[in-house]
Each structure stands twice: as C-alpha cells, then as structure tokens.
Amino acid sequence: MAAKGVIKGIVTVAVIGALGAGGWFAYRHFVPEQSARTEKVYVQRVANVNAAGTGDLFANCFSGVIVAQKTVSVKYDTSKTIGEILVSEGDSVKKGDKLLTYNIEAIQIEIDTAKLEVEGLQNSIQTNEAEIAQLEKEKRTATGDAQVSYTTKILSLQSDNARSEYDIKTKNVEIAKLENSLNNAFVTAPIDGTVKELKDGAPDPMSENPDVIMKITADGDYRVQGTFNEQNAMSISKGAEVILRSRVDDTTRKGEISDIDEEPISQEDPYGMMRSDPMTSSSKYAFYVKPESLEGFRLGQHLVIEMDRGDEDEKRTGVWLYDSFVMWDGKENYVWAKNDRDRIEKRIVEIGEHDEERGESEIKSGLSPEDYIAVPADYIEAGMGTTTNFSEAEIPEDASGMPADGAYPADAVPGGEEADFDAAGNLVYTDGEGDVYTFDPEGELIDGEGKLFDEENAEADEAENEAENDG
C-alpha cells in the first residue's frame, strides 16, 4: 500500500480548525518554526521499539523467571513394612515405574487377622440372637417383676448386636483397604526424573517429613515459572503453547505450560508479616512452562512469557513502528529522530506495508534499528537537545502530550485529501470532493469555494471522518 493510502493526513482537521480558530494556525500546521527551547527530549533506540517480530502488542504477556526443575517428594505408608526398594540414588525413572514394594506377608497377616475378628463378631451376634429368642419365649409366661428383668436382658443383648454390626462394617472397610494394598503393594514414580535424597526406609520421627522416602527431580536442567492473577486467569491453561522472550535481546524460545498451582503464592514476608491486605489485593498464582530449550539463558534470568498465537514462524523483518510514532506534515511522513549532533530533527521516512489490526507501519527507508526516536508531543521542536535517560528529560508543565504544531498522528485523517504549497508559499488544500482552497502565509483564504464553508456540511464531514477513524 502506498504511503498516503496507509498513513492518513490531518489536513481536514487543520483547515477546519483554521476556519474556527484563526487562519494562522492552519499555516503554522504545515510550516513549523525552528526551536529555541532548552528542554531535552527523551529518545529510544529504534531496535528497542521495533514492532517487527514482537508479536501482538495486546497479547497476554506474563513475567517469568528461570528456576530449577520441579522436585516431588515420594511418600510411603509408615504403618507398613517396606519389602524392597527398587531404585538407587541417581537412577532415571519414568512416571509409573515401581520405586519400592511393601512386605506382602505382613499385609496378608493383617487381612487374615481382621477377617477372624469379623468372624468372631458374627458368631457373637448369632449367639445373642438365639439367647434373645429364648428370653422372649420365657418372658411370655412370666409375671410382674420377672417380665421387667427379661426385658432388660433382651435390650442389653440387642445393644451388643448393634455394636458388633458396626464393628463388622468398620473391619470390612479395613479389609478392603488392606486387600487393595496387597494388590498395589508398591509405590510408583509420580513424574519422569532422577531419584534424589533416597532414605534407607527407617522412619525418623524427629524429621520434618518422616514419611518421605525419596525425592524425584524432573528431567531437564531448568523450567520457567510465571505468575498470573484473578484478572488474567482465563488466559492460562495447561498444555497451552507459549513464547519465551528475553528482556535483554531478541532471543526467543517456545514452550508449553506444564503445571498450574491451585494455591495462591504466599503474601507473607520472611518474618511472617502480611505484605498486603488480602481483602483488597489480588491473589497471585504460579504456573510453569516446560521449554523446548533454554540454550542462551541462565538460572534466575527474567523473561517475558507470551501466549503463542501461531504466527511466530511468520515473523516480520526490518523496521516496523507503532503508528503513534509516525507523523504527517501534509506532504511527507516523518518521525522525530536524533541526529548526529544529538539534536532532535524531523526525519522523513518512507512507509511500506501497514498492519491495520495492530496499528503498525513498515519503515522502508529513513530509519535503521540503530537510530533513536521520540514519541511525538506538543512541545517537541526541531533543534531541541536529546537524552536517552528518561530522568533527564524535561517535559514542560503545559505539555499536553499531543503532537506539536505542524504535525498530527499520521492515522488521524481519511486518505484521498491533499495539501501542498505553491511557488509563492501559499497553502493549497484539496478536499475529498476535489474542491481546491488556497490560503496565504497569514492564513487568509485567497481562492476556493465549496462545502468546506458550509457549516452544516463541515460538521457532517467531521462526524463522517471520526466514524471512519473509529472503524
């Protein structure tokens, strides 16, 4: 797309503004004066703001840090006797591999003992039921206090039977668990990894975790830990593909979200004090990325985690800038750039392709990644000093943050309208209907008629332009 088709001028705004607020503004819009200001303008290296290959500006991004691989504690049932440990320190294991077995004979003895207890309880119930039947028979022929005595004995035996029935249910649950243990009398690896810190199997009641028999560290040297909160939780899902981006250069790696913590990250400091009010602050959660490779990165390095939209392989090259950097002076596109005297200047650039969705333009010529540019603002004028230290930048108190006189954002006005200067230095403006208007250096209309001077139509055009820009 040609530059004028891609980057839209602001001529209509300039001319309408000139008619409403004075012709001098319209003329100065296209003829900026040299600056005598002493403020310094903050400039950034083009390579640092280059939109080529950086993905979607509005994509969900998360902060991350490279950490050691996941380590899982393997626990065993300390109420059972370990029969055999099947692995050694440093062994590589796969998820589901058997790590140790329990003593099956001990489990079988527990099962047999529990079954004998159930059998004894059942025999006791049968004996009591027979005795209750006999007491009921004798009670029918008894009189007076004798009947009361029979009733008391019967109720006592019925209570004993109810207690025995409950004990039988409890024992059957215990037997089912023991039989399940007998069928699964082993502990398996929860993840792929390497066996670490293997104990001899003798529980130490004084240790912090007496039931931990060993630890397994996941395969790979490192993984990436990221954080998210309640507001962006919907963007995180296990198995989602991501792009890992260095904060110091253009290095990228691909990865996949492997784990998501369900418990929030503790907000307590090392002294046990809350760092923020849990009722007013958003909870943060950790998630982990398994990278394809972390070559070129190091432990503890901070990076950006970006959701992979699948267009990384189609990464653009060259220089691409967000449209807010590119301006239009009525004739050419330009940016505010630092020259070789460390002064800000209007640098003419050639526009190539334009990405409407992302609001980015390709700079075909006029800038290199090593150049330095500034974000347009109302106080910037050619000849001002520059600085790469933001704290040294001097922004006037009356600065509005809008583009300076003589320049507006290049995407502010519909295309098809032209502004130029004739040999005498007069501003010549052609609107979308083909009507031509000429203004002298003082901003006074010299020649031209058309609906530009129809207030009602001018307002309609302005509304139409705003709607087109919003679209």
Side-chain angles (χ1 to χ4, degrees):
M1 184 181 293
K4 291 181 180 178
V6 174
I7 304 300
K8 302 171 181 178
I10 45 65
V11 179
T12 303
V13 176
V15 175
I16 293 176
L19 298 176
W24 178 244
F25 173 80
Y27 185 74
R28 284 201 61 217
H29 176 71
F30 293 94
V31 189
E33 299 177 347
Q34 280 294 111
S35 173
R37 307 185 71 145
T38 60
E39 296 93 349
K40 289 185 176 181
V41 179
Y42 173 66
V43 292
Q44 307 171 72
R45 192 164 175 260
V46 171
N48 294 339
V49 295
N50 189 358
T54 60
D56 189 350
L57 177 64
F58 302 102
N60 285 312
C61 296
F62 306 86
S63 59
V65 62
I66 298 175
V67 298
Q69 267 294 358
K70 178 180 182 180
T71 297
V72 178
S73 295
V74 178
K75 298 181 179 182
Y76 77 107
D77 188 347
T78 55
S79 66
K80 300 176 183 177
T81 303
I82 293 179
E84 183 182 5
I85 296 178
L86 306 175
V87 294
S88 301
E89 182 89 14
D91 283 356
S92 293
V93 295
K94 295 292 184 182
K95 182 178 180 179
D97 286 352
K98 292 182 180 179
L99 304 176
L100 62 85
T101 61
Y102 293 113
N103 189 329
I104 297 178
E105 292 182 2
I107 297 175
Q108 187 61 60
I109 290 173
E110 290 185 63
I111 293 174
D112 293 342
T113 300
K115 287 182 175 181
L116 286 175
E117 291 178 6
V118 169
E119 186 178 345
L121 290 169
Q122 289 173 338
N123 291 336
S124 177
I125 290 174
Q126 291 177 356
T127 300
N128 288 343
E129 287 177 345
E131 187 174 351
I132 289 171
Q134 182 61 34
L135 291 173
E136 291 284 1
K137 182 179 180 180
E138 295 175 1
K139 178 183 175 181
R140 286 194 292 269
T141 59
T143 59
D145 293 339
Q147 279 196 338
V148 174
S149 177
Y150 279 116
T151 300
T152 301
K153 291 180 180 179
I154 291 171
L155 291 175
S156 178
L157 291 172
Q158 289 175 337
S159 176
D160 290 344
N161 281 355
R163 187 179 302 108
S164 295
E165 288 174 353
Y166 175 79
D167 290 342
I168 289 173
K169 291 180 179 179
T170 303
K171 283 295 178 181
N172 283 332
V173 171
E174 181 182 338
I175 291 170
K177 289 182 178 179
L178 289 170
E179 288 177 338
N180 183 62
S181 297
L182 186 64
N183 296 328
N184 300 278
F186 48 81
V187 175
T188 59
I191 60 172
D192 296 350
T194 303
V195 176
K196 304 282 188 181
E197 301 180 31
L198 178 61
K199 298 180 182 178
D200 60 6
D204 181 3
M206 300 301 293
S207 66
E208 183 178 355
N209 297 297
D211 56 347
V212 175
I213 187 67
M214 69 183 76
K215 293 182 178 180
I216 298 179
T217 300
D219 290 334
D221 294 329
Y222 308 125
R223 61 177 176 165
V224 178
Q225 177 182 324
T227 57
F228 66 95
N229 56 33
E230 293 123 338
Q231 281 72 38
N232 51 24
M234 295 299 292
S235 302
I236 299 296
S237 60
K238 191 171 182 179
E241 295 183 351
V242 300
I243 299 172
L244 307 173
R245 298 188 183 279
S246 170
R247 290 181 179 270
V248 297
D249 54 35
D250 295 332
T251 303
T252 63
R253 296 287 185 271
K254 288 193 174 185
E256 179 182 296
I257 296 178
S258 57
D259 293 286
I260 302 174
D261 285 351
E262 296 182 358
E263 294 295 326
I265 298 173
S266 173
Q267 298 190 40
E268 291 186 356
D269 62 21
Y271 302 99
M273 302 295 290
M274 295 299 293
R275 291 197 297 263
S276 60
D277 184 356
M279 298 301 294
T280 59
S281 61
S282 175
S283 297
K284 293 184 177 181
Y285 300 81
F287 68 96
Y288 299 91
V289 174
K290 181 180 181 181
E292 291 182 355
S293 167
L294 281 178
E295 182 179 355
F297 291 89
R298 61 184 182 277
L299 183 65
Q301 182 173 339
H302 290 264
L303 39 72
V304 175
I305 304 172
E306 177 183 317
M307 305 309 295
D308 188 356
R309 301 201 318 168
D311 59 357
E312 179 67 6
D313 293 334
E314 301 175 2
K315 184 169 61 176
R316 297 169 302 188
T317 59
V319 175
W320 285 72
L321 294 181
Y322 301 122
D323 288 344
S324 56
F325 281 102
V326 184
M327 312 300 290
W328 171 255
D329 66 0
K331 297 178 65 178
E332 298 173 295
N333 296 112
Y334 72 94
V335 297
W336 288 115
K338 183 184 77 167
N339 60 26
D340 56 5
R341 297 184 302 279
D342 292 335
R343 295 284 177 176
I344 202 74
E345 69 176 12
K346 180 192 290 187
R347 180 80 57 81
I348 304 302
V349 294
E350 180 186 359
I351 303 301
E353 296 182 18
H354 183 252
D355 190 326
E356 291 283 353
E357 180 181 355
R358 296 183 180 181
E360 299 166 358
S361 296
E362 178 190 18
I363 308 300
K364 295 184 66 176
S365 64
L367 276 183
S368 72
E370 289 71 36
D371 285 323
Y372 287 79
I373 59 176
V375 176
D378 63 347
Y379 65 90
I380 297 179
E381 295 179 359
M384 294 176 66
T386 62
T387 179
T388 57
N389 186 342
F390 185 77
S391 62
E392 294 179 358
E394 303 171 45
I395 303 176
E397 293 183 359
D398 61 347
S400 68
M402 294 298 291
D405 285 349
Y408 278 79
D411 59 352
V413 180
E417 298 168 336
E418 300 289 343
D420 207 342
F421 296 91
D422 61 18
N426 299 315
L427 172 64
V428 181
Y429 168 71
T430 304
D431 66 16
E433 300 296 324
D435 295 324
V436 181
Y437 307 88
T438 304
F439 297 87
D440 66 16
E442 300 299 324
E444 296 296 328
L445 178 67
I446 299 174
D447 185 32
E449 320 185 321
K451 68 176 185 179
L452 178 65
F453 298 96
D454 183 332
E455 182 178 353
E456 180 177 349
N457 287 338
E459 291 177 354
D461 285 349
E462 185 177 2
E464 181 180 348
N465 290 337
E466 290 177 356
E468 181 176 347
N469 289 335
D470 291 339

